[in-house]
């Protein structure tokens, strides 16, 4: 899993393993204190497993994205 470039207020991630799955997968966003601040359902099966998360309502800062047990530290900017 990796973070890709995105517009301000958004985080773009690539989860290659989801490209080969079907159904809905839970994505959880954690703040710097590891408290969950957002849960987003992702539809598996997207080409290359690329997803853009719209997080404009969250303050700028460091977050952790968790998908299927994989975690990725990301930076959200506005």
């Amino acid at each position: 899993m990796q973070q890709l470039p995105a517009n301000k207020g958004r985080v773009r991630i690539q989860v290659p393993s989801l490209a080969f799955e079907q159904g809905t997968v839970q994505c959880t966003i954690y703040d710097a204190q590891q408290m969950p601040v957002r849960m987003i359902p992702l539809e598996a099966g997207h080409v290359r497993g690329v997803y853009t998360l719209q997080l404009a309502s969250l303050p700028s800062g460091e977050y952790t994205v968790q998908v299927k047990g994989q975690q990725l530290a990301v930076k959200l900017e506005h």
Side-chain angles (χ1 to χ4, degrees), residues 46-67:
H46 283 224
V47 176
R48 298 186 320 261
V50 175
Y51 299 88
T52 302
L53 311 175
Q54 297 186 27
L55 304 174
S57 62
L58 296 177
S60 295
E62 302 288 329
Y63 292 89
T64 301
V65 176
Q66 179 176 324
V67 178

Side-chain angles (χ1 to χ4, degrees), residues 34-52:
Q34 292 301 304
M35 297 296 295
V37 293
R38 182 75 44 88
M39 292 183 193
I40 303 170
L42 301 179
E43 189 64 35
H46 283 224
V47 176
R48 298 186 320 261
V50 175
Y51 299 88
T52 302

Side-chain angles (χ1 to χ4, degrees), residues 2-52:
Q2 66 178 342
Q3 184 174 7
L4 302 173
N7 294 331
K8 296 198 182 288
R10 293 178 171 88
V11 170
R12 193 166 187 224
I13 60 171
Q14 182 175 24
V15 189
S17 62
L18 293 186
F20 305 104
E21 296 189 25
Q22 294 182 2
T24 303
V25 176
Q26 183 71 28
C27 172
T28 305
I29 311 297
Y30 296 91
D31 64 13
Q33 290 76 38
Q34 292 301 304
M35 297 296 295
V37 293
R38 182 75 44 88
M39 292 183 193
I40 303 170
L42 301 179
E43 189 64 35
H46 283 224
V47 176
R48 298 186 320 261
V50 175
Y51 299 88
T52 302

Side-chain angles (χ1 to χ4, degrees), residues 63-77:
Y63 292 89
T64 301
V65 176
Q66 179 176 324
V67 178
K68 292 195 64 130
Q70 299 178 59
Q71 292 190 345
L72 176 67
V74 298
K75 185 172 186 175
L76 176 63
E77 297 178 348

